[in-house]
């Protein structure tokens, strides 16, 4: 495993990391989580991602219970969580980054994770109805209380990130240091030119999500939706259009021979492609079973095989790119 700095921050994260969206609680229990986290950790993964909203808090409980069983030294890994969507249908507790919600939300997450602090706390989306200064101050206070070590953003516009950095700098508050954007062969818009200042000038980190576009970039949805896949889960029907999209399937068909020429599975190829972007600090992988973790970790073997010729062949398959079809959390 290689490790990259989260932008210009001192902390380093493994190039591949493991997240729990959809999987923990919905597809796996504590024992499976132990097995998958263990396989990732053995491969050198030091970063595990979660969110309050994942399985309505149950995902945090499972990760906390798994970490208890695993008994790793706390300094050897990082855990993140995210706040925004909320767990309660109440004006002050959902779709918000107000001070009250953030300060209460982190306490709830730490209780579920059974931890004293998370290493990274993300604002899961931007909130246009709360002044950015209120959010920046609340995140600063959470860090000062020792409940999180660093904070970041997820799916924020470049201008919103720059505003938060500017407010923090002017008031000597802890700055956000990392964005969590979608990034895969289909979805590259969060690294568009307007983000150049964010990543290049301000040295912001990026922990990227859905590197396999929920599994499409493994080729598993070529002939429809397999029964044991995310696409067949109750409550995730909204994903199906993206999973079966014809243009995406055509891209998958075009990428397959390039991956196979490299000797990689399509999953390994698609994960290793994400690492070609120097602004990416860590690629957040997802898995519903340990075999997938083992296969995905081997993506690192292919990271140096993306020659200019391979990149040109990929660009030809992608053409002008595809319309964005991002998932909500
Ligand atoms: P991917 O796009 O990589 O999809 C992962 C899913 O693809 C797995 O759960 C599995 O689903 C399938 N899969 C993975 N590897 C293989 C393989 N080798 N062979 C066959 N199938 C495979 O990532 P996620 O969408 O899960 O996102 C990763 C992480 O990013 C999340 O856990 C979360 O931490 C974060 N995230 C953050 C978001 C944000 O808004 N900040 C939004 C979404 C995710 P199955 O077996 O069910 O088919």
């Amino acid at each position: 495993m290689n490790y990259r700095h989260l932008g210009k921050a001192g902390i380093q994260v493994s190039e591949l990391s493991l997240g729990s969206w959809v999987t923990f609680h919905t597809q796996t229990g504590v024992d499976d989580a132990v097995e998958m986290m263990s396989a990732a950790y053995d491969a050198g993964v030091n970063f595990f991602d979660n969110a309050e909203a994942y399985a309505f808090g149950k995902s945090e409980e499972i990760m906390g219970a798994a970490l208890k069983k695993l008994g790793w030294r706390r300094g050897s890994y990082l855990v993140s969580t995210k706040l925004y969507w909320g767990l309660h249908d109440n004006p002050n507790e959902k779709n918000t980054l107000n001070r009250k919600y953030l300060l209460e939300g982190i306490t709830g997450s730490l209780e579920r994770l059974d931890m004293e602090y998370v290493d990274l706390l993300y604002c899961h989306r931007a909130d246009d109805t709360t002044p950015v200064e209120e959010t920046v101050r609340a995140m600063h206070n959470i860090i000062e209380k020792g409940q999180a070590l660093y904070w970041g953003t997820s799916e924020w516009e470049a201008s919103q990130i720059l505003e938060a950095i500017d407010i923090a700098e002017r008031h000597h508050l802890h700055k956000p240091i990392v964005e969590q954007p979608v990034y895969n062969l289909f979805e590259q818009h969060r690294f568009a030119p307007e983000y150049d200042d964010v990543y290049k000038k301000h040295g912001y980190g990026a922990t990227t999500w859905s590197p396999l576009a929920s599994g499409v970039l493994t080729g598993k949805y070529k002939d429809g939706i397999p029964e044991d896949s995310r696409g067949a889960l109750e409550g995730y029907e909204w994903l199906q259009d993206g999973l079966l999209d014809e243009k995406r399937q055509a891209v998958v068909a075009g990428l397959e021979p390039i991956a196979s020429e490299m000797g990689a599975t399509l999953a390994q190829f698609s994960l290793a492609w994400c690492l070609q972007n120097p602004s990416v600090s860590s690629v957040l992988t997802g898995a519903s079973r340990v075999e997938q973790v083992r296969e995905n970790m081997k993506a690192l073997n292919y990271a140096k095989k993306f020659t200019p010729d391979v990149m040109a062949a990929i660009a030809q398959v992608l053409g002008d790119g595809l319309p964005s079809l991002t998932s909500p959390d």
Side-chain angles (χ1 to χ4, degrees):
M1 182 62 70
N2 300 308
Y3 299 86
R4 295 186 184 186
H5 281 268
L6 266 184
K8 66 178 181 192
I11 197 84
Q12 294 185 53
V13 283
S14 45
E15 285 184 337
L16 299 179
S17 43
L18 183 68
S20 62
W21 179 54
V22 184
T23 55
F24 284 23
H25 181 71
T26 308
Q27 293 175 293
T28 71
V30 176
D31 290 343
D32 296 319
V34 165
E35 199 180 24
M36 291 198 291
M37 290 174 73
S38 194
Y41 189 76
D42 289 348
V45 166
N46 75 349
F47 171 34
F48 299 92
D49 182 64
N50 216 315
E52 175 199 63
Y54 295 171
F56 299 101
K58 295 279 181 215
S59 171
E60 291 178 325
E61 287 176 11
I62 288 187
M63 191 174 278
L67 285 166
K68 260 273 116 79
K69 283 196 170 189
L70 288 160
W72 299 329
R73 202 169 40 77
R74 185 64 183 88
S76 70
Y77 63 90
L78 287 79
V79 169
S80 61
T81 196
K82 313 184 206 69
L83 297 171
Y84 170 77
W85 305 107
L87 296 178
H88 304 283
D89 200 8
N90 174 332
N92 288 318
E93 296 181 274
K94 78 170 193 194
N95 302 354
T96 182
L97 295 175
N98 75 58
R99 176 175 183 79
K100 176 175 164 64
Y101 164 71
L102 290 174
L103 293 179
E104 292 171 354
I106 184 60
T107 304
S109 283
L110 292 176
E111 277 169 16
R112 285 184 295 278
L113 285 161
D114 199 6
M115 296 184 129
E116 284 175 21
Y117 63 91
V118 286
D119 300 273
L120 292 168
L121 179 63
Y122 293 91
C123 294
H124 210 154
R125 288 293 181 272
D127 169 11
D128 293 335
T129 66
T130 297
V132 179
E133 182 171 342
E134 178 176 336
T135 299
V136 173
R137 279 193 189 277
M139 296 303 266
H140 171 84
N141 292 147
I142 287 169
I143 290 181
E144 289 289 292
K145 282 168 76 180
Q147 293 175 305
L149 305 186
Y150 300 91
W151 76 278
T153 53
S154 180
E155 292 292 316
W156 282 32
E157 304 290 337
S159 57
Q160 295 166 322
I161 297 170
L162 294 174
E163 184 183 353
I165 292 174
D166 178 57
I167 290 169
E169 281 179 345
R170 281 194 282 114
H171 298 282
H172 304 288
L173 304 171
H174 289 288
K175 287 190 262 192
I177 63 156
V178 60
E179 163 67 10
Q180 189 167 136
V182 65
Y183 187 56
N184 57 51
L185 279 149
F186 301 138
E187 304 257 10
Q188 304 179 31
H189 59 284
R190 290 292 182 202
F191 288 93
E194 64 263 27
Y195 282 90
D196 277 0
D197 268 6
V198 172
Y199 293 117
K200 294 182 185 147
K201 182 167 155 208
H202 289 279
Y204 216 60
T207 59
T208 58
W209 59 265
S210 284
L212 301 176
S214 274
V216 181
L217 285 162
T218 65
K220 72 196 298 175
Y221 291 100
K222 269 189 305 193
D223 302 318
I225 297 183
E227 264 176 39
D228 60 352
S229 69
R230 176 179 295 185
L233 292 175
E234 209 181 308
Y236 290 88
E237 294 80 6
W238 56 270
L239 272 178
Q240 290 177 359
D241 286 349
L243 300 174
L244 300 174
D245 182 74
E246 276 178 24
K247 286 190 183 140
R248 289 179 171 224
Q249 291 306 331
V251 168
V252 168
L255 294 173
E256 257 168 350
I258 310 176
S260 115
E261 175 78 11
M262 202 180 265
T265 64
L266 195 54
Q268 291 164 339
F269 169 88
S270 303
L271 293 169
W273 172 86
C274 298
L275 291 170
Q276 307 313 306
N277 182 339
S279 295
V280 169
S281 321
S282 184
V283 176
L284 276 164
T285 67
S288 66
R289 59 207 77 154
V290 72
E291 294 76 22
Q292 294 174 352
V293 177
R294 295 202 183 107
E295 177 184 338
N296 295 348
M297 291 300 134
K298 291 195 191 119
L300 292 167
N301 299 340
Y302 303 96
K304 293 207 161 59
K305 300 202 168 178
F306 286 73
T307 60
D309 282 352
V310 171
M311 292 304 265
I314 295 170
Q316 199 161 10
V317 172
L318 292 178
D320 295 334
L322 297 158
S324 176
L325 276 171
T326 51
S327 56
D329 55 354

